[in-house]
Each structure stands twice: as structure tokens, then as C-alpha cells.
Amino acid sequence: LLARSAKVLACEEAAPAPAESEYSVDDVLRASKDLWEATDGLVMLFTNNVADGGPPAGRPVKCFRSPRNIAPAAAAEGNSSAPSPPLPSSPYDWCDRLWIPTNVHSKKVGELNRNPRCSLGAYDAYGNYFVLQGAVVSKVSVESGTYYRGITEGIWAEHGDHLKDFFQGEPAGGRFVLLEFVPTKLTVISTKWELASERNNWRPAEIERAGASASSGGGSRWRFWSKREEGGPAGGGGGEWRHASGKNYSEKRLRQLRGGYDIKGQPLQR
């Protein structure tokens, strides 16, 4: 009887550590969209500032989704035979591309002109955050053709009460532009939606996709600042979201990150 009890006790002590929660692409998109809405579109924009001899630069910006009821670019230019763009694969796909209003003479424009790769991030006091990594692929205004004029006017129709405080006489006054941001990776931790939120997890939920990139003109400046006169979104589509490869989180690294504890912070059984 004693031997049997010892055997049962040994089995209990060797119980496996809690497994990480599984999540879908929709889970990650939903959690990030929820936080983006909670911050009213206010995010931090991080740009590369190496050319100025300084660290990466960050500042708060507003970012908006594409306006509703914007016609496909080719159709807007009068090509009635142009196919309509495919519907989003997920009802939560809020960040296929985002639009950042800014002053064409602002410092961030110069930084992005040298290097369009950047990140957007938001967080709250409850441990929820997301980071979008990608690139600004175009700078557009009401003078950038029918499609982009529709984007610009649509964003002003939806958010003009906010924008007019910063851009008097716009959007046709010459200072106002929209930065077209296309993300390629989305990282999330969400206590509300229980995504990678265990106290000792140290591995956020991540999804990624093939992305558009700003094309280089062969010189020191990027062509995405050139005036866009026709066509639709620059750089092509972003592709389907999928689970990230996780190559930065090997088992060895996770053991280092978590020490001798499981994802809930309890000591691992030896």
C-alpha cells in the first residue's frame, strides 16, 4: 500500500506544466481591433532616425481605417470591367492598410522618406497591447488621382471634426497628406481576450503576412514620396494573415525567458 501511494504521489509531482493557450488569426485581429477602438485610433509611431545620429524616434499619431464606400481604384478611374477587390477573409481584419494624417513638412515625413519601415503600437493600463510592423508605402492627397482623392475626402468626411483643429483650410491647402501604412506583422498580448496573457508567458501572440514594400528609385531617396496620380493602393496587397513562424522563440530561449517556472509563474517540478 505504501509503495502504491508513493507511486501515485510521484505521478502527481510529475504532472505536465500548463500548456500555452491556442489562438486563431481571428483571435489576434479581434483583440488588436478592440484595443485600437478603445484608444480611438491613437497609437505610437516609431520610425528609424539613424541618419540623424539618434535612436529610433517615436510620437503619438492618429491612424484611420479606409473610409467606407470607396470604389475600387480601376472602377473609380472609369474602368467598369475592373473586378471588385476580394472581401476581407476575416470580419476582424481592421488593419489591412491604415492611413496616418500628417503635415507634409513634419519631421516624421523626412524620417520615413529615408526609411519607410516603421511600427505602430498601442497599450492600456490593463496589460493589453499590440504592435504592427510594416512600412509606409505611399504619401497621398486630394491631388493623387481619383482613388486617393476618395480616400482623403472620405477620411475628412468621417474625422474632419478632429482633423480641422490641426489642418486649417485643408485637405486642399497643401500641407495635409495621408501616409499609407501596410503592416506585415501583428503582435498582441491581451488580458481581456486571454491571449498570451499568462504572467510568465513571455511569448506574445503573433501573426504575419507577405507585405507590400516601398520601391526604391535606385538612389538615396524612396519613390513612395513621388506624386501618385492613378491606380489603387501602392505596393500591392498585404496577403493573408497567418500564424507567425515563431523562429525567435525556440524551446531553449523560452526556458531562458521563463526560468524555472511554468507560464503561470509556478515552480516547475524537477
Side-chain angles (χ1 to χ4, degrees), residues 14-207:
E20 295 185 47
S21 300
E22 296 184 356
Y23 58 87
S24 67
V25 168
D26 276 1
D27 290 335
V28 177
L29 291 169
R30 177 179 60 181
S32 60
K33 180 175 182 286
D34 183 75
L35 180 55
W36 174 76
E37 291 176 340
T39 65
D40 196 26
L42 184 64
V43 299
M44 289 294 294
L45 167 66
F46 298 96
T47 58
N48 190 309
N49 197 30
V50 175
D52 291 337
R59 73 273 288 167
V61 297
K62 278 273 195 176
C63 67
F64 302 118
R65 298 178 68 178
S66 296
R68 295 182 291 271
N69 302 321
I70 296 297
E77 298 295 337
N79 184 357
S80 59
S81 63
S84 297
L87 294 175
S89 59
S90 167
Y92 305 110
D93 193 355
W94 63 280
C95 54
D96 177 69
R97 64 189 63 239
L98 297 170
W99 307 89
I100 304 168
T102 192
N103 190 315
V104 71
H105 305 294
S106 64
K107 189 174 182 180
K108 71 173 75 67
V109 168
E111 293 165 356
L112 289 166
N113 200 40
R114 290 188 293 270
N115 188 337
R117 299 176 185 86
C118 56
S119 298
L120 300 179
Y123 59 91
D124 65 18
Y126 304 102
N128 305 292
Y129 82 79
F130 72 79
V131 175
L132 285 164
Q133 297 174 326
V136 168
V137 299
S138 187
K139 175 203 66 156
V140 302
S141 69
V142 291
E143 299 179 354
S144 300
T146 304
Y147 175 78
Y148 284 111
R149 182 168 65 248
I151 292 288
T152 303
E153 292 176 346
I155 285 178
W156 268 86
E158 295 178 7
H159 308 286
D161 288 344
H162 165 76
L163 294 173
K164 66 183 180 182
D165 291 335
F166 303 93
F167 301 98
Q168 302 80 12
E170 305 296 336
R175 294 178 301 156
F176 177 81
V177 291
L178 288 172
L179 307 181
E180 183 180 6
F181 173 77
V182 177
T184 56
K185 188 173 184 178
L186 172 57
T187 302
V188 172
I189 285 181
S190 175
T191 56
K192 177 177 179 179
W193 298 99
E194 298 183 345
L195 287 182
S197 60
E198 296 88 354
R199 65 184 65 184
N200 195 43
N201 194 326
W202 293 99
R203 176 162 63 177
E206 294 180 333
I207 57 176

